[in-house]
Amino acid sequence: HHAKARIALIRFLKVVDHAAVLVSKDADDEPLNIPSATHITEPCQNLVPQCPCAPGKCPHAVCVYSPRYVRPNNLGAYTEVTRQLMLQSTPDADSFVMGDLAAQLAVAIDAAIFAGTGTEQPQGIIGTASVGAVTGTTLGLAGLIEAQTDVAGANALTANCRYVTTPAVAGLLSQRARIASTDSKTLWQGNILDGVVEGYQAHSSNNITAATCIFGDFSQAILAEWGVLEVDVNPYANFTAGITGIRAFYTCDVGVRVPGAFSVIGTIT
């Protein structure tokens, strides 16, 4: 069931489609070290025949890395189905339930990438040190552009960037004029599931913190996984009652490789 369940998990994930996935086969206690670029000095600005600072030398850009560790976190789900349900169901009840379990785990992973607390769960983008911050009170064009300039200031603005927010905020922005109250163009263009905001793709998810929007390059959010989603069926969970148990396990962690690649707009009204 492992391969089938893996496909189901990815189908239900929205953010992980854009996150970088790091796979490890070793699930021991040793953490994985993800190099994180934390500081880049200014490069040499002038081209000269011979650098005046020292023969054969020239000021150069220096990228400073610090380790960001990811450790195995186990996520599980379990349910039971009756013999009668297995007999009466089309498609087979176990396959149907496996998809439901995968969907529930996917919701939990999405939420962890967005806003995991770092305490007994992964540290998500919101709350990661050095992530940009924008005040979302009466959010308008200036705030949305500020999120882009935040990321651009960290040299992390790419075509892969996108806005992710709640359906409520997406609905609010889809009705709010872009420039003035008489402007016929709204801040959010398209449907509230997948739209466009100021030239970038925009998505909504119920898994992100209320009144919050994240703008950034989600390929800089690392989903580290140990193995794949494991779904196992126990036909003898309660043998005398004819109960089958279905259990799902997924081992993963989240690490933000470049915090400057994200800007969080909070307390949106």
Side-chain angles (χ1 to χ4, degrees):
H1 298 297
H2 294 187
K4 183 189 297 183
R6 171 64 176 165
I7 294 171
L9 178 69
I10 294 301
R11 184 184 304 122
F12 282 103
L13 288 173
K14 177 179 288 292
V15 172
V16 171
D17 287 341
H18 309 291
V21 179
L22 174 66
V23 180
S24 173
K25 296 181 180 179
D26 190 356
D28 60 20
D29 292 332
E30 291 297 320
L32 294 176
N33 183 352
I34 300 174
S36 175
T38 57
H39 178 66
I40 301 177
T41 62
E42 289 297 326
C44 180
Q45 299 296 321
N46 299 307
L47 296 175
V48 294
Q50 181 172 333
C51 188
C53 58
K57 295 182 179 180
C58 184
H60 54 281
V62 177
C63 190
V64 179
Y65 290 92
S66 65
R68 291 189 181 272
Y69 295 105
V70 288
R71 299 175 182 273
N73 291 266
N74 294 307
L75 181 64
Y78 177 80
T79 192
E80 294 179 341
V81 295
T82 65
R83 172 181 174 274
Q84 184 168 327
L85 179 62
M86 300 280 279
L87 289 173
Q88 292 179 328
S89 297
T90 302
D92 293 342
D94 58 344
S95 298
F96 186 79
V97 171
M98 284 181 208
D100 282 348
L101 292 179
Q104 291 304 311
L105 296 186
V107 167
I109 295 167
D110 247 14
I113 292 175
F114 289 135
T117 64
T119 302
E120 297 186 354
Q121 58 181 268
Q123 175 63 64
I125 296 169
I126 300 172
T128 294
S130 301
V131 165
V134 176
T135 301
T137 305
T138 317
L139 181 61
L141 179 60
L144 295 169
I145 295 299
E146 184 181 350
Q148 294 189 24
T149 56
D150 265 1
V151 175
N155 293 318
L157 190 66
T158 70
N160 294 324
C161 289
R162 62 198 65 237
Y163 292 88
V164 180
T165 189
T166 66
V169 172
L172 177 70
L173 297 180
S174 68
Q175 301 174 70
R176 184 164 289 173
R178 181 175 181 269
I179 300 294
S181 59
T182 57
D183 193 348
S184 61
K185 185 175 182 180
T186 57
L187 293 166
W188 182 293
Q189 296 288 300
N191 65 69
I192 65 169
L193 178 64
D194 296 298
V196 176
V197 172
E198 296 309 311
Y200 283 97
Q201 294 183 52
H203 312 287
S204 67
S205 169
N206 286 316
N207 304 324
I208 194 170
T209 307
T212 301
C213 177
I214 300 174
F215 174 77
D217 181 356
F218 284 86
S219 70
Q220 299 304 323
I222 305 298
L223 174 66
E225 60 179 17
W226 286 260
V228 297
L229 174 65
E230 300 174 12
V231 179
D232 293 304
V233 176
N234 178 14
Y236 310 113
N238 187 333
F239 181 76
T240 57
I243 301 296
T244 296
I246 303 177
R247 182 196 67 192
F249 268 129
Y250 186 62
T251 302
C252 64
D253 198 5
V254 176
V256 179
R257 184 173 179 270
V258 181
F262 298 96
S263 185
V264 178
I265 308 173
T267 61
I268 296 173
T269 59

